Amino acid sequence: MPKRRISLTQYLVEQQREHGHLTPPLRLLIEVVARACKRIAISVNKGELGDVLGSTDQSNVQGEIVKKLDLIANEVLIEANVWGGHLAAMASEEMDSIHVVPDRYPQGEYLLLFDPLDGSSNIDVNVSIGTIFSVLRKVGHTRGVSEEDFLQPGRQQAAAGYCVYGPQTTLVLTVGNGVAMFTLDREQGSWVLTQEDIRIPEETKEFAINMSNLRHWAPPMRRYIDECLAGKEGPRGKDFNMRWVASMVADVHRILSRGGIFMYPWDQREPDKPGKLRLLYEANPMAFLVEQAGGMATNGQRRILDLQPTKLHERVSVILGSSQEVRRVTEYHAA
Ligand code: AFP
């Protein structure tokens, strides 16, 4: 059967009709974020011509040097979402604390979290980067909003997605009923449905990890990777391939497209840090998407979506992708 080529709006209206919980404010939120991603894509694609490459003289709450495009993407997302009446507040990798919707605008029931530009180390070398977003409902019915409202387990998410600024500009989205993919039609300037009901194969021969950290990993991680590297002659009885883009959005997109396992585990360089990636606006949205596509996502011990956050910029170890491999790595950590 030929693939449907419908717009993001039509897809969301159909989702709203079939699954009542996609409320009109949530639909507006998603459409506004998607429009903001189009705006970010324009800046990304300009590169040197738009004077958007290189770094600012600032560092963020993560202690990382902020790239010009990090700030541009952050501003675009805030300006696009602040007036609509669908949000109470926003949180971003690039902002120390939450951004509450000012009193001059109506406040809504949703909370938007985002990594405005993931993969910053790839910006200046023209490698795929992306935007990751997560949507929560503000559960407390008290007036006002605080950081505590954001500290919900990932299983509470109302929606999640990412946009990859790569050879194509692709939006991948879940509202809790499977995963759909939209490709930006630059001639029309609109998002067109190009894949729905995405499924991650349970098995894979492809792993994604930063191998330069090998000597710092805990033994279960070393065991899993050593077995993959041993190939056909080793305990796994098959050869593996490796990929590492160093943009989580690009690695996860590949896994949603053809399977694989992505790992950014704890390592002994900073033993007090559970991992490099951020729970609320990187791991949780990606875990929601991966599970909705039939994959698994753990921190090595527990399901990521069940973790109770205690801080806005909390970090976590991430093992996600094809369920058979994620299960194996998690079992090695439990052994
Ligand atoms: P940056 O946004 O600072 O480049 O970090 C990207 C990221 O958070 C994630 O997207 C990558 O998977 C991971 O870090 C890459 O980390 P390494 O540079 O240590 O491989």
Side-chain angles (χ1 to χ4, degrees), residues 56-182:
T56 66
D57 54 3
Q58 305 167 39
S59 63
N60 62 19
V61 64
Q62 328 288 342
E64 297 157 346
I65 295 291
V66 178
K67 300 275 191 173
K68 287 182 189 172
L69 267 173
D70 285 326
L71 284 191
I72 292 167
N74 196 63
E75 275 312 306
V76 166
L77 283 160
I78 289 175
E79 285 164 18
N81 281 283
V82 73
W83 51 267
H86 48 277
L87 284 183
M90 292 176 254
S92 165
E93 178 185 292
E94 300 306 331
M95 300 188 298
D96 296 9
S97 51
I98 65 169
H99 181 93
V100 179
V101 171
D103 292 342
R104 65 179 179 281
Y105 298 119
Q107 272 208 2
E109 63 170 305
Y110 292 100
L111 305 172
L112 178 64
L113 305 91
F114 46 83
D115 179 356
L117 209 72
D118 175 66
S120 306
S121 57
N122 284 321
I123 292 173
D124 297 347
V125 293
N126 199 18
V127 171
S128 295
I129 48 183
T131 296
I132 309 172
F133 66 91
S134 168
V135 183
L136 292 167
R137 290 177 188 82
K138 179 175 170 295
V139 286
H141 296 291
T142 54
R143 276 290 305 159
V145 57
S146 70
E147 190 169 299
E148 282 62 39
D149 291 302
F150 285 80
L151 303 183
Q152 301 178 39
R155 64 175 180 269
Q156 305 285 103
Q157 290 174 96
Y162 61 79
C163 185
V164 184
Y165 311 113
Q168 299 96 45
T169 299
T170 310
L171 179 74
V172 176
L173 170 72
T174 184
V175 293
N177 307 297
V179 179
M181 195 179 292
F182 302 83

Side-chain angles (χ1 to χ4, degrees), residues 118-121 210 244 246-248 262 264 276-278 282:
D118 175 66
S120 306
S121 57
N210 182 337
W244 187 249
S247 290
M248 186 184 196
F262 170 96
Y264 211 112
K276 171 176 184 182
L277 302 177
R278 274 62 57 150
E282 288 176 325

Side-chain angles (χ1 to χ4, degrees), residues 197-226:
D197 296 331
I198 292 170
R199 303 301 293 169
I200 299 176
E202 288 184 10
E203 296 186 10
T204 184
K205 294 180 180 176
E206 197 160 67
F207 67 88
I209 196 165
N210 182 337
M211 287 296 289
S212 69
N213 300 327
L214 182 139
R215 65 189 182 283
H216 304 304
W217 296 332
M221 200 71 245
R222 281 294 302 264
R223 174 187 173 193
Y224 176 76
I225 294 298
D226 288 344

Side-chain angles (χ1 to χ4, degrees), residues 258-327:
R258 70 184 191 209
I261 179 170
F262 170 96
M263 295 157 281
Y264 211 112
W266 170 91
D267 75 47
Q268 62 189 3
R269 287 176 293 178
E270 294 181 87
D272 297 340
K273 243 162 77 173
K276 171 176 184 182
L277 302 177
R278 274 62 57 150
L279 174 58
L280 284 178
Y281 41 80
E282 288 176 325
N284 273 344
M286 292 310 202
F288 189 17
L289 288 161
V290 163
E291 285 198 4
Q292 283 287 313
M296 271 180 78
T298 76
N299 66 351
Q301 281 84 21
R302 293 183 57 209
R303 181 183 180 230
I304 281 180
L305 294 184
D306 287 338
L307 299 177
Q308 174 57 54
T310 55
K311 289 184 294 189
L312 194 60
H313 300 291
E314 180 168 331
R315 294 172 186 263
V316 68
S317 297
V318 177
I319 317 285
L320 63 76
S322 294
S323 54
Q324 283 200 5
E325 294 304 310
V326 175
R327 192 171 293 114

Side-chain angles (χ1 to χ4, degrees), residues 8-29:
L8 172 64
T9 301
Q10 181 175 340
Y11 175 83
L12 292 174
V13 167
E14 289 179 358
Q15 286 290 314
Q16 193 175 334
R17 209 173 281 151
E18 288 158 30
H19 312 277
H21 67 266
L22 181 60
T23 61
L26 179 56
R27 201 184 100 205
L28 172 62
L29 195 172

